[in-house]
Amino acid sequence: MSKIIVPKGTYDLLPDDTAKWRDLETKIHQIFSEYGYGEIRTPLFEHTELFQRGIGETTDIVEKEMFTFADRANRSLTLRPEGTASVVRAYLEHNLAGSGGVTKLYYYGPMFRCEAPQAGRFRQFSQYGAEVLGSLDPRVDAEVIALAVNFYRRLGITDLDVRLNSIGCPNCRPVYRSKLIERLRPKTGGLCSNCQRRLERNPLRLLDCKNPSCQDATADIPLITETLCAECGSHFEKLRILLDSIPINYHLDSRLVRGFDYYTKTVFEVLAGDLGAQNALCGGGRYDNLVEECGGNPTPGIGFAAGVERLLIVLESRKTSVFHPETPELYIAPLGEAAQLAVFPLLIKLREAGWKVESDFLGRSLKAQLKTADKMGVSLVGILGEDELQGRQILMRRMATSQQEMIPLDYDCIINFLKTEK
Ligand code: HAM
């Protein structure tokens, strides 16, 4: 019979990987708590309409990348392709705005996009992300960008490319949009088929098309930042002063528009050189109209999301040692059946007391057991042969020095020994 393998674009995390993931997850929860965010967990699937309305009908995600299915009552549901729309839905559904003020939420978990898989791009991937609702202040934009960047810095990734742009608001963006359409319409024939389709509906997306002929066509396009209204212009200027004060180095990228219709004003991305084509570690921006578009009172918002797989690719490629290996603190090597029986209750008792202890379950030779312990990186091995058992003793071997010490085969004595060796 043929073997069944994982679906395209998904993967298994094996024990060595999950140890790293868990370590990273702890660090993620820690930084969000330090910055004053509360964790929100939303369902893995939502009504399709939420993403159609929230992300935008003409975006790549909604047009071609969603995993959409009908439930048994023929309702259209979609596996969440991102977290922002769900967070806004939950914010409204549970009235998290309460009596006003700023609501700071973060999330962590799997997202699903039916994209062509490649290095750093999966169909099920994990994001951690932040959403801040209720403030128009550019200090919030700067705080969100600082959090995103500082997390990488903590992990030792400091050579980051932070790209920043402002894409205006419903007051000023239509002016730019019309200018773009006007300038690009005569060049329609030279655009890729995707951009030809998008020109009238979503012309800003043409700016970040990687197709060389589209890049040529948009080469001399005026900058969006030159057509910002007074409010968007001043917001952007204040944000730049705040980022300089942290300091966070960034560069202005007038082609950065991002693939979601909800953005207004600030958009940003953090890139890492080692990632190849899929080089964005994280991305985000302001969405001052999304809450209203989802049926709430006008409420500004800003957030970002970051890919966990891509972060791990960067950490692995740099051999950054931020992870603590899960090495047992003691390996007990029983020799013979009587020793195995004596070791077993000890093993369980030590584990129940919180010690990380391993043993052999294959009845192997001492040499083989020492080899296994060495491979695990264990520094202490307790050897229990027939002689030791008869004398109610256990031989403790320090693997680094091969130094050995006989101690009583007694639970409290072993604990005391482990404590002094720690
Ligand atoms: P996004 O740029 O689509 O933004 O995704 C954020 C990050 O998720 C990317 O920079 C990348 O690291 C990771 N990512 C995206 N797609 C994939 C994939 N197929 N495979 C692996 N990693 C991927 C958002 O999702 C917005 N919701 C961010 C946001 C929050 N804006 C405001 N608030």
Side-chain angles (χ1 to χ4, degrees):
M1 256 218 287
S2 62
K3 276 189 193 153
I4 299 172
I5 58 165
V6 289
K8 199 171 162 182
T10 69
Y11 54 85
D12 296 311
L13 281 181
L14 304 180
D16 278 353
D17 306 315
T18 44
K20 289 179 188 163
W21 276 71
R22 275 214 309 268
D23 211 352
L24 197 56
E25 282 160 19
T26 308
K27 291 179 167 69
I28 290 168
H29 292 299
Q30 192 180 333
I31 192 164
F32 279 117
S33 128
E34 285 167 17
Y35 276 71
Y37 286 74
E39 186 184 3
I40 182 162
R41 298 186 186 188
T42 60
L44 297 194
F45 57 87
E46 299 268 3
H47 292 293
T48 303
E49 194 192 345
L50 174 71
F51 302 118
Q52 287 167 332
R53 262 210 268 167
I55 298 173
E57 298 270 12
T58 61
T59 57
D60 283 352
I61 292 184
V62 171
E63 275 188 345
K64 4 179 224 210
E65 294 171 3
M66 296 202 304
F67 284 101
T68 297
F69 56 97
D71 70 4
R72 284 172 188 274
N74 218 21
R75 283 174 292 242
S76 180
L77 299 172
T78 294
L79 293 182
R80 63 182 189 188
E82 59 109 48
T84 313
S86 303
V87 169
V88 167
R89 179 206 44 74
Y91 172 82
L92 291 172
E93 195 165 333
H94 304 286
N95 189 25
L96 297 183
S99 51
V102 178
T103 308
K104 294 166 77 170
L105 302 167
Y106 82 95
Y107 49 91
Y108 171 84
M111 307 291 163
F112 307 86
R113 293 185 195 172
C114 193
E115 295 187 84
Q118 52 172 271
R121 191 158 79 190
F122 304 91
R123 290 187 170 176
Q124 177 178 331
F125 58 97
S126 286
Q127 283 186 340
Y128 59 90
E131 311 295 348
V132 184
L133 293 134
S135 173
L136 272 169
D137 196 311
R139 279 178 302 166
V140 179
D141 305 39
E143 189 205 63
V144 163
I145 296 173
L147 193 166
V149 171
N150 284 341
F151 187 61
Y152 299 125
R153 287 181 177 168
R154 281 183 190 193
L155 296 172
I157 309 169
T158 49
D159 53 334
L160 296 162
D161 178 6
V162 181
R163 300 199 176 170
L164 186 69
N165 196 18
S166 173
I167 56 167
C169 69
N171 292 328
C172 52
R173 199 184 312 151
V175 179
Y176 184 70
R177 210 173 163 273
S178 312
K179 257 193 196 170
L180 261 184
I181 298 177
E182 204 177 293
R183 290 281 282 268
L184 292 171
R185 219 180 253 143
K187 301 179 180 177
T188 311
L191 301 174
C192 73
S193 56
N194 223 356
C195 286
Q196 285 187 3
R197 215 166 28 85
R198 290 194 293 205
L199 178 60
E200 303 290 334
R201 293 203 294 165
N202 203 349
L204 261 74
R205 287 315 308 274
L206 272 68
L207 294 176
D208 69 357
C209 179
K210 302 285 179 289
N211 188 305
S213 57
C214 302
Q215 292 198 337
D216 278 355
T218 55
D220 57 352
I221 287 299
L223 303 182
I224 189 164
T225 37
E226 284 165 11
T227 51
L228 295 179
C229 61
E231 192 199 317
C232 290
S234 141
H235 185 96
F236 198 43
E237 208 177 298
K238 284 183 193 153
L239 170 60
R240 294 179 57 185
I241 293 169
L242 290 162
L243 290 176
D244 290 339
S245 76
I246 296 175
I248 284 188
N249 295 328
Y250 58 86
H251 81 256
L252 297 179
D253 180 355
S254 58
R255 286 180 175 267
L256 181 68
V257 289
R258 308 238 332 119
F260 299 86
D261 281 358
Y262 50 61
Y263 287 125
T264 52
K265 295 184 178 149
T266 312
V267 285
F268 71 96
E269 275 186 1
V270 179
L271 314 185
D274 4 21
L275 281 172
Q278 301 306 316
N279 58 0
L281 274 173
C282 78
R286 190 163 264 290
Y287 46 86
D288 291 341
N289 302 316
L290 181 59
V291 175
E292 202 175 349
E293 277 155 18
C294 290
N297 294 326
T299 309
I302 175 159
F304 80 94
V308 179
E309 291 81 0
R310 292 189 191 176
L311 172 54
L312 280 157
I313 291 171
V314 172
L315 290 172
E316 295 279 317
S317 78
R318 298 178 182 202
K319 309 233 176 309
T320 316
S321 56
V322 289
F323 303 114
H324 307 297
E326 301 212 326
T327 314
E329 291 158 302
L330 174 69
Y331 185 98
I332 311 184
L335 302 169
E337 206 178 321
Q340 288 167 3
L341 289 176
V343 162
F344 188 72
L346 192 62
L347 180 71
I348 302 293
K349 214 169 159 190
L350 285 168
R351 284 176 178 163
E352 284 304 301
W355 294 90
K356 232 180 274 172
V357 189
E358 261 312 323
S359 187
D360 171 80
F361 285 87
L362 295 171
R364 290 179 304 174
S365 67
L366 178 61
K367 195 173 159 201
Q369 294 196 49
L370 287 176
K371 209 166 148 190
T372 304
D374 194 44
K375 241 186 178 166
M376 288 177 171
V378 186
S379 54
L380 270 182
V381 175
I383 302 167
L384 194 71
E386 268 174 37
D387 291 348
E388 285 86 11
L389 191 58
Q390 269 192 354
R392 301 298 303 158
Q393 291 191 307
I394 184 166
L395 186 65
M396 301 303 271
R397 181 183 171 94
R398 297 181 186 93
M399 294 295 277
T401 57
S402 301
Q403 227 187 6
Q404 306 194 136
E405 195 173 317
M406 198 68 91
I407 64 165
L409 180 59
D410 168 79
Y411 171 75
D412 291 325
C413 292
I414 295 175
I415 297 254
N416 281 340
F417 186 82
L418 288 175
K419 281 184 183 158
T420 52
E421 290 292 313
K422 226 179 171 183

